[in-house]
Amino acid sequence: MSKIRIGIVLSSAPGYSETFFKTKINGLANNGFRVILFARGKRNQELDCTHIRPYPVFQFPLLSALSVSIIVPFVFLRALLPVVRFWNFEKENGLSSIAIIKSIYLNSHIITARLDWLHFGFATTALGRENVARAIGAKMAVSFRGYDINVYPVKNPGCYMLLWQRVDQVHSISHYLLEQAYNLGLPVNKPAQIISPAISTPLEPKMNFEVSDPIKIITVARLTWIKGLEYGIQSMAKLKEAGLNIQYTIVGEGPEYEKLLVEANQLGLADKVIFIGKLSHKETLKKMRESDLYLQPSLNEGFCNAVLEAQAIGCLCIVSDAGALGENILNNETGWLVPPRDANKLADIVMKILKLPISELQRISGNAKKRVSNIFSLKDHIDSWQKFY
C-alpha cells in the first residue's frame, strides 16, 4: 500500500516555538504518511518531511520578468496537464492571461507535486491558490487560526468566498474559530474537524506555591495589540496602588514594544515591568515555572499555546474570557477567566488568588495539569490527524 502524500503549505518553515506544526508533521511521518512542506525559509532539521521552497519573488521588474520567462515554460513541460487545468480554472475565475502566468509562477513549486491532500496551514495562505489542489488532482484542506478569522476578513470582506467553494475539509484549532468561520460564510455542511494543539512531551511541573517577594507574574506573547498587554500593565499599576510588591515579566517581541514600554514608565512601573524579549522554548518554560501567576490579557485568541503549556506545568493562569480562551481554561477549576479590557478585574482576581490557601492553589494547578494531559495529549492529536486524512 502506497503512502498517503500530504502537502502542507506555510508561509515559512515552523520555528522553534511552533510546536503545533512540528508535532503534526513528525507524528504523521511516524505513522506512515509522506509529508511535503511547501514553505520559505531554512530547513528545520527537527522535521521529518521533504521541504520544497517557492521560487523567489523579485522586486525589480526586469529580474521578475526574466525569472517568470524561465520557470513557467519549465513548469509547463514538467506538469503539462495540471498547468493546463490550473489555467482553465483561473480563466473561469476571470483572471487575465498575465495574472494567470504570475499565479503559475507563484505556485510552480506545488503544481509539479503529486499529492493526495494539499493542506493550507493558515486560511490566508490559500488565497490565490484556491484552484491548485483541483489542478493537481488532490483534495484540499485548510486550517483556521486566530488571525485568519479574527482580523484578516475584517480588513478584506468576502475574501474567503472562493475558498469556501473549493475546500474539501476544514480544520479548526477551536470551536470558537469554527463558529466564526460559519459566520463568514463557510457552509455548515462542509466537513470540519476540531483538532486543538497538544503538549508534545511531559513538562517539568511547578512545585512551589509559596508566593514570592516580589510577586512574580508572567505573560508570554508577541507584542501586538490583540494580546491586550496594556491591560496587563495597567493591572500592575492597580496592584502597586494596593501596596503589593510585584514584578511583571513579559516574554516576547513585536511592534508594540515602544508603546508598552512608554505606558509602563508613565504608570510608574519602570522597575516593575520587565521586557525580556524572545527566549528559547526551554528558557520560557523555566520562567513560567519560577513565576507565581501566568497572565494572558488578550482581546482575542484562536486558542493560545502558551496558556496550554502554562497549565501543563501547573502554573496558576488568569486569562481573558475572549475568543477560545474559555475552551482552554475552565473558570475556577483549571484557572480563572476575566472580562477582556478590564484592568480592574485583572487586579481584583490577582488579589483574590493571593489570599487563597495553598491547598486551593494546588487543587487548581493539579486540575489544570490533569486536564491538559487527558484532553490535549500528543497521541490523541496524532490520531485525530490520521482520521482527518
Side-chain angles (χ1 to χ4, degrees):
M1 180 178 172
S2 61
K3 292 183 178 181
I4 294 176
R5 296 159 300 186
I6 301 166
I8 298 176
V9 182
L10 298 174
S11 57
S12 59
Y16 78 92
S17 64
E18 294 177 282
T19 54
F20 185 96
F21 291 113
K22 288 195 284 188
T23 55
K24 173 188 175 179
I25 289 170
N26 292 341
L28 288 171
N30 291 337
N31 283 276
F33 293 78
R34 185 183 174 197
V35 182
I36 300 95
L37 174 65
F38 299 99
R40 299 186 186 280
K42 186 178 179 181
R43 173 176 170 78
N44 187 329
Q45 298 299 324
E46 296 180 2
L47 299 178
D48 187 4
C49 66
T50 301
H51 184 178
I52 299 176
R53 299 172 184 82
Y55 290 103
V57 176
F58 297 103
Q59 298 300 317
F60 296 104
L62 185 60
L63 277 176
S64 180
L66 181 62
S67 181
V68 170
S69 66
I70 293 171
I71 298 301
V72 170
F74 171 74
V75 176
F76 264 98
L77 289 173
R78 192 174 172 193
L80 179 60
L81 288 178
V83 174
V84 169
R85 286 196 292 263
F86 183 71
W87 185 290
N88 291 333
F89 294 148
E90 296 285 86
K91 201 74 175 176
E92 290 173 7
N93 291 342
L95 269 68
S96 67
S97 295
I98 292 177
I100 295 172
I101 290 171
K102 290 181 180 178
S103 187
I104 291 172
Y105 179 82
L106 293 172
N107 294 296
S108 56
H109 61 307
I110 306 174
I111 291 176
T112 54
R114 293 175 62 247
L115 302 171
D116 297 297
W117 280 93
L118 181 62
H119 193 145
F120 294 95
F122 296 83
T124 49
T125 59
L127 296 176
R129 291 171 164 162
E130 295 92 343
N131 290 317
V132 175
R134 283 204 307 167
I136 66 176
K139 291 183 179 179
M140 178 182 177
V142 66
S143 291
F144 304 144
R145 288 177 173 79
Y147 178 80
D148 293 329
I149 302 299
N150 295 328
V151 179
Y152 192 83
V154 177
K155 300 188 293 182
N156 302 274
C159 60
Y160 295 137
M161 289 302 103
L162 181 59
L163 177 60
W164 298 155
Q165 296 175 35
R166 297 287 186 261
V167 69
D168 293 292
Q169 186 167 210
V170 300
H171 154 246
S172 177
I173 59 174
S174 64
H175 293 276
Y176 163 78
L177 286 180
L178 183 58
E179 288 300 320
Q180 294 300 104
Y182 290 141
N183 293 336
L184 292 171
L186 176 69
V188 294
N189 61 348
K190 189 71 69 171
Q193 193 166 342
I194 310 286
I195 305 176
S196 299
I199 298 299
S200 56
T201 56
L203 301 179
E204 182 185 342
K206 176 181 172 64
M207 302 301 294
N208 182 19
F209 291 88
E210 293 285 348
V211 177
S212 308
D213 186 17
I215 301 158
K216 294 180 181 179
I217 303 173
I218 189 170
T219 295
V220 179
R222 182 162 162 74
L223 309 187
T224 62
W225 66 270
I226 205 165
K227 297 300 181 178
L229 293 167
E230 66 267 34
Y231 299 102
I233 292 171
Q234 290 165 16
S235 71
M236 297 303 120
K238 302 290 182 184
L239 294 172
K240 182 182 175 183
E241 289 173 10
L244 297 181
N245 184 18
I246 50 95
Q247 177 184 292
Y248 184 31
T249 300
I250 299 176
V251 180
E253 299 174 337
E256 296 281 297
Y257 168 69
E258 188 175 86
K259 173 189 171 184
L260 296 168
L261 181 64
V262 170
E263 174 131 26
N265 277 268
Q266 289 179 340
L267 291 172
L269 299 171
D271 60 337
K272 301 295 185 182
V273 178
I274 302 170
F275 297 90
I276 58 174
K278 190 175 182 180
L279 298 178
S280 70
H281 190 226
K282 183 178 180 180
E283 290 171 323
T284 300
L285 296 177
K286 183 174 182 290
K287 284 288 183 184
M288 285 183 180
R289 201 174 293 112
E290 294 170 349
S291 299
D292 297 302
L293 297 171
Y294 182 92
L295 181 63
Q296 194 73 40
S298 301
L299 308 185
N300 209 317
E301 287 284 355
F303 194 79
C304 193
N305 285 17
V307 170
L308 191 63
E309 289 189 323
Q311 291 178 90
I313 290 172
C315 286
L316 300 166
C317 296
I318 306 167
V319 307
S320 298
D321 191 4
L325 284 171
E327 298 175 44
N328 204 326
I329 290 279
L330 300 182
N331 193 33
N332 293 315
E333 287 297 320
T334 65
W336 295 268
L337 295 171
V338 297
R341 296 185 176 87
D342 196 331
N344 289 324
K345 287 289 178 62
L346 280 174
D348 288 346
I349 196 69
V350 168
M351 288 187 283
K352 174 185 174 183
I353 292 167
L354 294 175
K355 294 175 182 177
L356 293 174
I358 289 180
S359 59
E360 177 64 7
L361 302 182
Q362 291 172 328
R363 182 187 75 84
I364 296 286
S365 172
N367 287 347
K369 288 185 290 186
K370 184 176 180 180
R371 181 169 182 262
V372 170
S373 176
N374 291 343
I375 298 179
F376 303 103
S377 72
L378 181 61
K379 182 181 182 303
D380 291 344
H381 183 81
I382 299 305
D383 287 346
S384 295
W385 278 120
Q386 291 188 77
K387 293 173 184 175
F388 183 92
Y389 296 119

